[in-house]
Amino acid sequence: MRVVVTGGAGFLGSHLCDRLLADGHQVVAVDNLITGRTVNIAHNLDREGFTYLRRDVSEYLEIEGDVDFIMHFASPASPVDFERVPIQILKVGALGTHNALGLAKAKGAGFFLASTSEVYGDPLVNPQPESYWGNVNPIGIRGVYDEAKRFAEALTMAYHRKHGVDTRIVRIFNTYGPRMRPADGRVAPSFITKALRGEPLTIFGEGRQTRSFCYCEDLVEGIVRLMHSGEHDPVNIGNENEITILELARTVIRLCDSDSEVVFRPLPQDDPQLRRPDTTRAREILDWEAGISLEEGMKKTIAYFKTHGAES
Ligand code: NAD
Ligand code: UDP
C-alpha cells in the first residue's frame, strides 16, 4: 500500500512510519514540525519508498499519485501545548481532519484517526469503555484538544456514513517511548530528563491522580491491527496497568538510579484524576493487548534519553 502519515515526524507518527516501511508499504510522511523533529525520520530520508513533505495539514492537502490509506496523526498532544498553541490544535483537529478526510474521499483511500482518551475528559467511570461519552469542560484549557478530537471523531463518522469512506478511530491512552522530546512537557520525558540530571521531579497536585502507560511498540502493533480490521467504531488502545503519578516518579527515580527528590506544584485545571482503558474491544476485535511492562518500556526509554537527551 501507499500510506500517508500526517504528523509523520512526531513521536508516534515516526514509529508508525518505521513499522509501515518494515511491513513493505510506501510511506508519505507529512509534517509541519510544530512539535515534530526531522531527527525522528532522518534514518528514512534516503530510503526507497519513503517521502517527507513539510506541509501544514490545516491548509489544503494535495498528494500526487495513488494513496491507499491516510493515517491522521498530526496534532500537538502535550498539555503544555494546550496553552502554547491552542488555535493550531483546534485547527488541525477540525480543518486538518477535514482536509485529510477529503483527500481520503478523493483518492478512494482508507482513513485512520488518531483520537485520544481525552475524549473522556475527567472521567466519572473507571476504567473507560468506548461506550462512555465523557466528562469534558469545553471552555477549559484542555478543551481545545478534547473538543478538537471529539469533533474529529464526529467528522470521521460523518464521512463514513455520508460518503462511505472506510474509516478507523483509535482512542490512544498515555503512550511513551523513545523520540519524545525532552522538553515535550508530558510526564514521562519530564520525569526522565529531570531524574537523569539529578533535578527534582515536579509532581502536579498530590500525585494521587492515575494514568496507565503504554509503550509505543505495543501501541503501534494495535494500530496496525486496527488498520487491517474492518472496524469503524472507536477502539481504545492502551495498557491497563494503572498507577499513580507519585508511583511513576518513584519508579523513574529507581530505574535512573537517581537521587532526585520530588517537589509538589499546583494541579493544572481539569487534570483528569483517573485514567485507565477498558480494552475489551481491542482484545475481542484485534486479539490485541499490551505486552510490555512499565519497567521494561521505561528502561528502553531511559536508555534513549541517556544518548539523545540533549536534542531538544
Ligand atoms: P507529537 O507532538 O510528537 O506528534 C505530533 C506531530 O504532528 C508532530 O510531528 C507535529 O509537528 C505534527 N503536526 C501538528 N500539527 C500539524 C499540522 N497542522 N500539520 C502537519 N503536522 C502537524 O505527539 P504524539 O504523541 O506523537 O501524538 C501523535 C498523535 O497521537 C496526535 O494526534 C495525538 O493527539 C495522538 N495521541 C497521542 C497520545 C500519546 O500518549 N502519545 C495519546 C493520545 C493521542
Ligand atoms: N504531571 C506531573 N508532572 C509533570 C508533568 C505531568 O505531575 O512534570 C502529571 C499531570 O498533572 C498529569 C499526569 O502527570 O496528572 C500526566 O500528564 P501528561 O502531561 O503526561 O498527560 P495527560 O495524561 O495529563 O494528558
Side-chain angles (χ1 to χ4, degrees):
M1 291 196 293
R2 187 160 183 257
V3 185
V4 171
V5 180
T6 77
F11 158 52
L12 293 178
S14 65
H15 285 292
L16 179 60
C17 289
D18 286 352
R19 171 62 191 264
L20 293 170
L21 288 166
D23 287 354
H25 305 297
Q26 293 176 46
V27 172
V28 181
V30 184
D31 205 298
N32 69 349
L33 303 183
I34 187 171
T35 54
R37 301 179 296 175
T38 43
V39 69
N40 290 341
I41 52 169
H43 57 289
N44 287 327
L45 287 176
D46 293 331
R47 184 171 173 160
E48 203 180 327
F50 183 80
T51 311
Y52 164 58
L53 300 175
R54 186 167 182 175
R55 299 265 191 288
D56 182 344
V57 300
S58 299
E59 308 289 335
Y60 181 75
L61 185 57
E62 194 170 344
I63 304 284
E64 283 177 14
D66 291 341
V67 175
D68 300 295
F69 236 98
I70 295 158
M71 310 294 284
H72 183 40
F73 278 65
S75 174
S78 169
V80 169
D81 295 323
F82 302 168
E83 286 184 89
R84 192 177 64 90
V85 286
I87 295 165
Q88 289 93 328
I89 290 174
L90 283 160
K91 284 177 77 175
V92 74
L95 306 177
T97 304
H98 190 215
N99 290 333
L101 278 162
L103 183 69
K105 178 169 160 261
K107 300 281 186 184
F111 176 85
F112 188 112
L113 175 68
S115 186
T116 169
S117 55
E118 281 283 327
V119 300
Y120 304 122
D122 187 3
L124 303 176
V125 300
N126 195 45
Q128 296 84 53
E130 292 86 347
S131 54
Y132 179 51
W133 291 354
N135 176 41
V136 171
N137 174 3
I139 57 163
I141 285 164
R142 299 180 84 97
V144 295
Y145 182 71
D146 301 10
E147 296 296 359
K149 290 289 186 179
R150 288 166 69 100
F151 177 85
E153 287 198 7
L155 195 61
T156 300
M157 292 308 289
Y159 265 71
H160 172 63
R161 294 190 185 109
K162 185 75 185 168
H163 295 308
V165 175
D166 185 19
T167 56
R168 314 278 185 272
I169 299 174
V170 65
R171 291 183 180 154
I172 302 169
F173 284 65
N174 294 69
T175 302
Y176 67 99
R179 300 189 190 157
M180 294 184 98
R181 289 167 300 146
D184 176 285
R186 282 177 283 188
V187 72
S190 165
F191 281 2
I192 293 171
T193 49
K194 288 186 170 110
L196 290 177
R197 290 187 200 127
E199 294 170 4
L201 275 57
T202 51
I203 295 192
F204 300 154
E206 294 172 18
R208 281 191 298 202
Q209 68 272 38
T210 66
R211 296 292 185 274
S212 310
F213 293 95
C214 185
Y215 188 63
C216 53
E217 203 179 306
D218 271 341
L219 180 91
V220 168
E221 177 64 32
I223 283 168
V224 168
R225 288 189 191 201
L226 179 56
M227 181 179 89
H228 290 299
S229 79
E231 182 61 36
H232 304 299
D233 288 338
V235 178
N236 289 339
I237 298 281
N239 191 311
E240 289 189 318
N241 176 33
E242 182 183 12
I243 63 164
T244 67
I245 294 303
L246 192 56
E247 283 177 277
L248 178 73
R250 293 203 176 110
T251 304
V252 170
I253 289 171
R254 176 171 56 79
L255 294 177
C256 288
D257 200 17
S258 168
D259 52 13
S260 287
E261 296 178 348
V262 298
V263 292
F264 295 89
R265 296 282 177 266
L267 193 66
Q269 184 193 33
D270 300 328
D271 196 297
Q273 287 307 290
L274 300 169
R275 183 180 289 155
R276 178 182 173 204
D278 180 330
T279 56
T280 308
R281 273 171 55 75
R283 276 197 299 276
E284 286 177 0
I285 298 168
L286 311 175
D287 191 24
W288 177 92
E289 63 184 346
I292 299 170
S293 69
L294 182 68
E295 185 118 355
E296 191 185 345
M298 271 295 167
K299 281 183 185 163
K300 293 183 190 201
T301 312
I302 291 165
Y304 170 84
F305 277 96
K306 276 185 179 166
T307 46
H308 296 80
E311 292 164 8
S312 60

